[in-house]
Amino acid sequence: MARTEVIIDPVSRISGLLDISVEIENNVIVEARSGGMQFRGFEEMFRGRLPLDMPYLTARTCGICSTHHELASTLALEQALGVTPSVNGMVVRELANGFELLQNHIRQIFQFVFPDYVNIEGISPLQKTNPESGDYRLPRDINAKLANDYFASIPISRKAHTALAVLAGKAPHPHGIFVGGVTTNVTIKQFSEVKSILNEITDFVKDVLIPDVNIIASYYSEYYELGTSYRNFISEPLFAEDNFPVTYTVGGVMIDGQLSPLDVNFITENLRYSWFNAPNDTAVPAETPPAPDADKAGAYSWVTAPRYQGLPVEVGPLARMYISGVYTRGTAAMDRNVARALETQIICNVMQGLIEIMQLAPAVQRQWTIPQSARGIGIVAASRGILMHFLEIENGITKNYSLIPPSNWNMSPRDNNGVRGAAEEALVGTPIQDIRNPVEIGRIIRSFDPCLNCAAHVTSDRYSPLTIRII
Ligand code: NFE
């Protein structure tokens, strides 16, 4: 039976350059590849830098989740320096991280996922979807409401970043999160501004976001079956501190339905299909950093393939919700979208509690001493899942710095055993109704909320800006 190869490069409405290639036989995807098409070399830039600069430098890894990187770097530094942050500093930075989560989730749901299901009849050609090329099923009046909500979400997601800037200096790339807590002196003015924005977002999530996502789920219910992956999950703690009035999840690992605590020693990065080298094609974070090799035979991605105990794993809101026991409905594409929506509401509720214990107080900062040699790991709940930073200091400077962002797990290429990454696996087995308009691929891929800027941490000129090739 002849196979048809479909290449979508880059996948639109995501951050970064993602090449999805699938092979289709009898209108079913039988093979899939996820490739990160840009090399950015951030880890190369980090070597030799002053450790206290790292929160600011690492935040530049990505423009849409910079707060997560700054917090992860701060945590890694605090561990290396033996610093315990102030209680109020932790509250303020958890709120800042919460606003980054809200901004990302709201934007992802409305601006990146909605156009897969809602015919956005907007005012700009850029915002107008083509009804001929889509599978749009919503009745006209319902479609009109959701299209209206698409536009209503834009100022709401922007306000989440306004609140982030109030708490942490600016957005993106805030500078207020730092060793010891934050650099922000919290006043009544800041409290009032942030509280009022949080109330507005909370109402929008309850009254608009949740009902809208439920509507989409009901009209496209087959996506509760399509796009399942391995059902192996990793979740990091999120809003888990004992002193928080409302908590969410302590995280963990779920393999074959069995829960266990996360052990970072079980994590390696496989490189057989990535344009990187390391001994045995295996990088150990902050020990044997991968060396770029753009001409490596057989490789197809600038994304490494992290594995936990050698296994591929999915991360993100669905993983957090599954491991915390809050969501058990399923693990398909629509489950990812619904879990992200429900998590947005949980985040609002936790932040409403947190803001009440935020003290109107000056920042606690002092001069920090950098040890001659030390190591630190920072783990953060990022919008797309677990984010890890690995820092090694030698002679008072940064010797090695490794990142494993969430999209490395989800969008990983095959590992050294040829086993597919999470999104690749989710595509295989998917029926494609119209091979010349394979909307199913975008819907499944966007349910992961990929960010290839994070994952591929010099853009190649070997790839044309947009190719959908049917062979
Ligand atoms: Ni560039 Fe990021 C998030 C991080 S993703 S968006 O969330 O860390 O891999």
Side-chain angles (χ1 to χ4, degrees), residues 230 234 264 266-270 304-313 404 408-409 412-422 424:
Y230 292 106
I234 292 180
V264 293
F266 288 139
I267 296 172
T268 54
E269 287 181 276
N270 285 208
T304 60
R307 292 294 184 262
Y308 190 83
Q309 291 181 310
L311 297 170
V313 165
I404 304 185
N408 284 59
W409 293 95
S412 98
R414 283 160 175 64
D415 60 28
N416 293 357
N417 297 316
V419 177
R420 298 182 197 100
E424 293 179 334

Side-chain angles (χ1 to χ4, degrees), residues 15 62 64-65 68-69 382-385 387 405-408 451 453-455:
S15 179
C62 181
I64 64 170
C65 67
H68 304 321
H69 285 284
S383 303
R384 291 151 194 82
L387 167 64
S407 293
N408 284 59
C451 173
N453 288 332
C454 273

